[in-house]
Amino acid sequence: MLFSKNDFTKCEKRLFLIIGVLYLLFFMARMISNIYFLTDSYEYFEVAKAIRDFTYFESSNHPELFTRRPFLYPLFLSFFVDFSPIFIVVIQTVLGLFNTFILFKIIKQYKVQLNNSLLILFLFTPSIFIYSQLIMSEWLVMLFLTMLFWLLLQKWDKNNFAYIQIITVLLAFTKPIFYPFIYVNLVFFLVYMIKKRVFSFWLFLPIICLQLYLNYNKNTTGYKHFSSIENANLIDYNLYYFKSSTQSKEKAELWLDSVYNDKKYVGKSFKEQNIYLKQIATNEIKKNFFQYSFYHFYTAIRGIVDPGRFDLMTFFEKETGRQGFLEILNNDKPIWDAFKNKFVIVYLFLIPVFLANCIKWFYFLKYLFFNKLTFKGYYFIILFGYYILVSGPVNCSRYMMPFQGILIVFAVLGMLSKSKNLNQKTSNC
């Protein structure tokens, strides 16, 4: 049972309390820095205001913004638009602690007792605390993913399956990157139902919601799409970074300017602009298919161990779009630029964070290789792999944050497991 606290020992409750204190310390530091917004945060607020004012469905709204930022997180914000950002961050922090509680329950589901390794991994995964206390949607995605993993661990039940499908829809309407996975969801659970000889009409909920939303966007904008961020990301980030890395920053800038200054884009409708951008992106990828494919795969994998320089820098100063290490890795600025900043302590903290990321991934892979997963367990692993690969050149600590809790769970299990049968271990708190 999810909300039963009797499963935890005194030592495990103490671990939870310490993590709660860490959330409090990060919150106090956030209050001192007084930085609650990144660039994307203001767009979420714009959509939230439209929802609050009941103007979200008006045709005069900017389709590029309103499809770039799906409505779910703005819906949450719409209740607190007139409140101080601190109030919103307090609510998100409480929900972040609830997410931690579910993670504890997941580990207990594997019949192991929590130990200090969990606390150390949490301490050196600052992105969990940082993004839980920013006006950003990453914390909400993390909560949905953690709840999804919990449900996948439970025995087959039509109610649980309904919740799984609802969360699948909610993920897509929080972060557009998840919407193509709806097709994978349909195929996977169709195979599962055939194998188990069960059926539920909830199987079709995500695909129905997806098609309704695609058609709604087509009717309102003339262009069938889920989010305007799709084509923009391909041009502004994926292909820009690819050209910057394989050619030069100057050539990448010239190419990007030529795309947006072309007569096929300037002054055109939303539909015409997106058709044009999609065509440009498709042609560029086809022209450099093998080189780009390798670059996309390599950068996607590279991002999983990013220690999060951007996360820490924007904790102390407002985002400028230049604080991340991603720009250096993609040849967008020289490596010496990283050492010009006054916050030397950030670089010292990045070293153990990077090492902790490597340790988490080592034990995550160890657990996968030496322990048998359930059929439903493979669903989450496929989702995880999909998310990493689709992120491509923009994959970084911020993108990986929603999965960090589950990654910590697998890392702890990998540390404690010695065989294909995970036996209960004694606590060493």
Side-chain angles (χ1 to χ4, degrees):
M1 186 175 177
L2 180 60
F3 293 101
S4 173
K5 296 185 291 184
N6 297 328
D7 293 339
F8 300 122
T9 64
K10 287 184 179 180
C11 177
E12 291 165 343
K13 291 176 181 178
R14 186 171 71 246
L15 285 176
F16 183 82
L17 179 62
I18 293 172
I19 292 173
V21 171
L22 288 176
Y23 268 104
L24 179 60
L25 291 174
F26 270 88
F27 176 71
M28 292 171 66
R30 178 67 66 186
M31 290 182 67
I32 293 171
S33 73
N34 199 35
I35 298 171
Y36 302 98
F37 293 80
L38 297 181
T39 302
D40 295 351
S41 307
Y42 297 100
E43 295 186 345
Y44 284 120
F45 249 85
E46 283 301 310
V47 180
K49 288 176 182 177
I51 294 174
R52 179 201 60 182
D53 297 336
F54 300 99
T55 60
Y56 181 82
F57 294 104
E58 290 185 3
S59 58
S60 59
N61 286 328
H62 201 305
E64 186 177 353
L65 171 62
F66 279 67
T67 62
R68 184 164 66 245
R69 304 299 170 196
F71 64 84
L72 197 62
Y73 182 56
L75 178 62
F76 163 79
L77 289 177
S78 67
F79 295 99
F80 313 108
V81 166
D82 297 320
F83 287 77
S84 166
I86 296 177
F87 183 74
I88 300 172
V89 167
V90 168
I91 295 174
Q92 292 183 181
T93 300
V94 172
L95 291 171
L97 272 172
F98 176 63
N99 182 79
T100 304
F101 173 78
I102 302 175
L103 291 173
F104 274 44
K105 295 289 288 189
I106 288 172
I107 295 177
K108 297 297 290 184
Q109 185 88 1
Y110 285 91
K111 302 187 186 301
V112 298
Q113 290 184 320
L114 306 168
N115 58 35
N116 290 328
S117 60
L118 177 73
L119 180 60
I120 294 170
L121 292 178
F122 256 97
L123 178 61
F124 291 106
T125 311
S127 61
I128 290 179
F129 305 100
I130 289 171
Y131 285 102
S132 293
Q133 296 172 349
L134 279 171
I135 309 299
M136 295 291 288
S137 64
E138 276 72 15
W139 68 271
L140 185 57
V141 178
M142 179 176 68
L143 180 59
F144 287 150
L145 288 171
T146 304
M147 294 172 67
L148 175 63
F149 191 68
W150 163 261
L151 290 167
L152 288 168
L153 290 176
Q154 311 309 308
K155 292 182 180 180
W156 169 263
D157 178 273
K158 287 189 176 181
N159 288 332
N160 282 343
F161 181 64
Y163 295 139
I164 288 171
Q165 297 301 83
I166 291 171
I167 289 175
T168 300
V169 174
L170 296 179
L171 281 170
F173 285 100
T174 307
K175 283 285 186 185
I177 192 174
F178 288 102
Y179 94 82
F181 195 79
I182 286 175
Y183 298 106
V184 180
N185 169 279
L186 177 66
V187 174
F188 184 93
F189 280 112
L190 184 60
V191 173
Y192 178 82
M193 289 179 178
I194 292 172
K195 185 177 178 181
K196 295 293 183 179
R197 296 183 180 179
V198 294
F199 181 73
S200 171
F201 282 106
W202 286 99
L203 174 68
F204 303 108
L205 175 69
I207 201 75
I208 290 172
C209 291
L210 173 60
Q211 295 306 315
L212 288 173
Y213 188 69
L214 290 174
N215 286 313
Y216 168 77
N217 283 342
K218 183 180 180 180
N219 291 334
T220 55
T221 69
Y223 179 66
K224 190 173 183 178
H225 70 296
F226 188 88
S227 172
S228 62
I229 205 169
E230 301 168 49
N231 296 323
N233 268 9
L234 277 173
I235 299 292
D236 297 349
Y237 297 102
N238 292 32
L239 287 169
Y240 171 79
Y241 283 147
F242 170 67
K243 288 182 176 292
S244 183
S245 178
T246 57
Q247 298 175 23
S248 69
K249 178 188 175 185
E250 291 72 22
K251 289 184 178 180
E253 292 280 2
L254 287 172
W255 174 79
L256 192 63
D257 289 341
S258 69
V259 169
Y260 286 108
N261 290 325
D262 193 285
K263 62 181 181 180
K264 294 181 181 179
Y265 182 85
V266 178
K268 300 296 182 180
S269 67
F270 177 81
K271 175 183 177 180
E272 291 171 318
Q273 287 179 339
N274 275 275
I275 290 174
Y276 164 72
L277 291 178
K278 186 174 183 179
Q279 184 181 33
I280 291 291
T282 303
N283 291 340
E284 285 290 333
I285 292 172
K286 283 182 178 178
K287 189 167 63 176
N288 304 280
F289 182 76
F290 291 106
Q291 191 178 14
Y292 176 79
S293 296
F294 174 78
Y295 175 78
H296 186 99
F297 177 79
Y298 159 70
T299 51
I301 300 301
R302 182 187 66 189
I304 67 177
V305 292
D306 173 36
R309 179 179 182 268
F310 173 85
D311 309 337
L312 294 172
M313 294 307 302
T314 52
F315 195 94
F316 298 103
E317 59 183 19
K318 289 187 176 182
E319 181 188 1
T320 64
R322 304 291 294 173
Q323 292 106 327
F325 204 66
L326 198 62
E327 286 76 19
I328 294 173
L329 293 175
N330 287 303
N331 290 348
D332 199 29
K333 63 183 180 182
I335 191 169
W336 309 111
D337 190 77
F339 302 99
K340 292 179 181 178
N341 201 284
K342 57 185 177 180
F343 299 109
V344 180
I345 189 67
V346 168
Y347 301 109
L348 297 177
F349 190 58
L350 288 176
I351 297 171
V353 172
F354 172 76
L355 294 175
N357 280 343
C358 294
I359 290 169
K360 282 182 287 187
W361 278 102
F362 173 80
Y363 283 107
F364 170 79
L365 294 173
K366 175 180 177 285
Y367 181 80
L368 292 189
F369 281 123
F370 295 103
N371 291 272
K372 186 177 180 181
L373 293 174
T374 64
F375 190 78
K376 287 190 294 182
Y378 281 111
Y379 177 83
F380 199 87
I381 299 303
I382 293 170
L383 174 59
F384 203 173
Y386 158 86
Y387 182 84
I388 293 170
L389 293 177
V390 171
S391 297
V394 297
N395 194 20
C396 58
S397 174
R398 171 184 161 186
Y399 274 71
M400 291 305 304
M401 177 271 182
F403 281 93
Q404 286 293 346
I406 302 300
L407 183 59
I408 288 173
V409 168
F410 275 112
V412 170
L413 295 177
M415 291 175 184
L416 298 178
S417 62
K418 294 181 179 179
S419 66
K420 291 188 177 181
N421 294 315
L422 191 64
N423 297 316
Q424 185 171 351
K425 304 291 188 294
T426 57
S427 175
N428 58 1
C429 290

